[in-house]
Amino acid sequence: MTVHTPERKHPVFHPEALAGQVALVTGGGTGIGRATALALAAAGARVFLAGRRAELLAESCALIRRAGGEADALAGDLREPGAAERLVDAATERFGPVTTLINNAGGQFAAPAETITANGWAAVYRLSVEAAWSLSREVATRCLIPQRRGLIVFLAFSPRRGISGMVHATSARAALRQLAADLAAEWGRYGVRSIAVAPGMIDTRALAQYPAADVAAWTASVPLGRLGTPEEVADAIVFCATDAARYLTGITLPVDGGADAWGAGRPAPTLPDPSAAEPRAGEPNGADHDP
């Protein structure tokens, strides 16, 4: 099945939609993180990026500056003690108080549940959950709560059901969905919103680690019939940061081409093959016939 991926012909957001905002994006060197940083900057935000590889962060910053935006970055491992404090120090010294935090950093690997060691499990949780919480708390207490405004975004997974071979990653992302809801309930009194954005199968370089047959099967389970792009996830995140979403908080927003809604353990329905012979009047359709 060949499905066309629509391309954006015009900017989605006004170039000043996020004017005055300071966005902090983790995992900003590649994939969804880079696309989100570029989209936030294109909408007028000043963007500070974090990640482990300085050269990739530098590339992201260069792309933003080339497009007329403002960006800076700090390389480091968010799992290290004091990393959250150092990152917020650097971001606020460069651009002022953070108004939008995008917790995009995360890591996972495919493995049968029975083979995941305690160290492998802890490695995923330390980055996906513990580091995200540490940074969210640091940004909230130092920037968002004092300003009585702001947004925290957590990156979750879709579909929101059992996924074989990813128990460590999916359970960690489920924890982030709940954290987004809990913080929305608790910090809403300060004007702070908290949202989980749940991408489905997105066409990034990370897909290269998975067998082609698996990717084809995942694609077949998407009602829109194709993989998503990092830019499509980025646009959803930018929307959440704009005033248009000012009354949205505590939700999980799937960006998955309908995969979460489909929810079945078989491929999504497709258009009939025009070359296939149509059944004659009164003749049962073989696909639905019960022998």
Side-chain angles (χ1 to χ4, degrees):
M1 176 177 62
T2 301
V3 177
H4 174 65
T5 301
E7 295 183 1
R8 291 185 298 185
K9 295 182 179 180
H10 306 286
V12 176
F13 301 98
H14 190 279
E16 294 184 1
L18 300 180
Q21 290 205 34
V22 175
L24 174 54
V25 182
T26 67
T30 59
I32 292 172
R34 174 177 286 183
T36 300
L38 286 164
L40 289 164
R46 290 172 292 172
V47 182
F48 199 92
L49 294 83
R52 284 182 286 181
R53 297 179 60 181
E55 68 276 14
L56 295 177
L57 294 176
E59 290 175 7
S60 295
C61 287
L63 289 171
I64 291 172
R65 292 170 186 146
R66 196 176 305 151
E70 294 184 67
D72 210 335
L74 178 68
D77 190 338
L78 288 172
R79 297 170 294 186
E80 295 178 353
E85 293 89 338
R86 290 191 293 272
L87 179 55
V88 177
D89 283 345
T92 55
E93 287 173 9
R94 179 68 175 85
F95 291 130
V98 174
T99 61
T100 302
L101 170 62
I102 313 299
N103 285 297
N104 170 72
Q108 59 271 331
F109 52 91
E114 65 273 18
T115 68
I116 299 173
T117 65
N119 285 339
W121 181 276
V124 170
Y125 266 71
R126 283 180 61 205
L127 181 57
S128 296
V129 181
E130 294 174 18
W133 161 244
S134 295
L135 185 57
S136 297
R137 181 184 180 279
E138 191 72 16
V139 169
T141 56
R142 292 177 55 179
C143 302
L144 307 185
I145 292 175
Q147 295 179 96
R148 294 296 193 266
R149 68 173 182 135
L151 171 68
I152 301 173
V153 173
F154 298 95
L155 269 289
F157 271 172
S158 178
R160 294 171 292 179
R161 60 180 185 273
I163 301 176
S164 177
M166 299 292 288
V167 62
H168 49 345
T170 54
S171 61
R173 299 295 179 165
L176 294 179
R177 293 202 314 265
Q178 188 62 43
L179 181 56
D182 291 345
L183 292 181
E186 189 156 347
W187 288 346
R189 57 186 166 169
Y190 301 121
V192 176
R193 296 184 297 119
S194 176
I195 290 174
V197 172
M201 190 54 55
I202 305 301
D203 192 3
T204 67
R205 290 190 302 178
L207 278 185
Q209 67 181 299
Y210 301 107
D214 288 351
V215 175
W218 294 331
T219 305
S221 70
V222 180
L224 284 185
R226 63 175 176 84
L227 301 179
T229 67
E231 290 74 21
E232 287 170 320
V233 180
D235 286 344
I237 292 173
V238 173
F239 166 74
C240 291
T242 68
D243 285 343
R246 60 191 178 276
Y247 203 56
L248 294 183
T249 191
I251 65 167
T252 295
L253 176 62
V255 185
D256 62 0
D260 192 60
W262 174 235
R266 56 192 175 91
T270 62
L271 292 173
D273 185 349
S275 64
E278 291 291 331
R280 290 173 296 183
E283 181 180 301
N285 186 329
D288 299 323
H289 181 53
D290 226 354

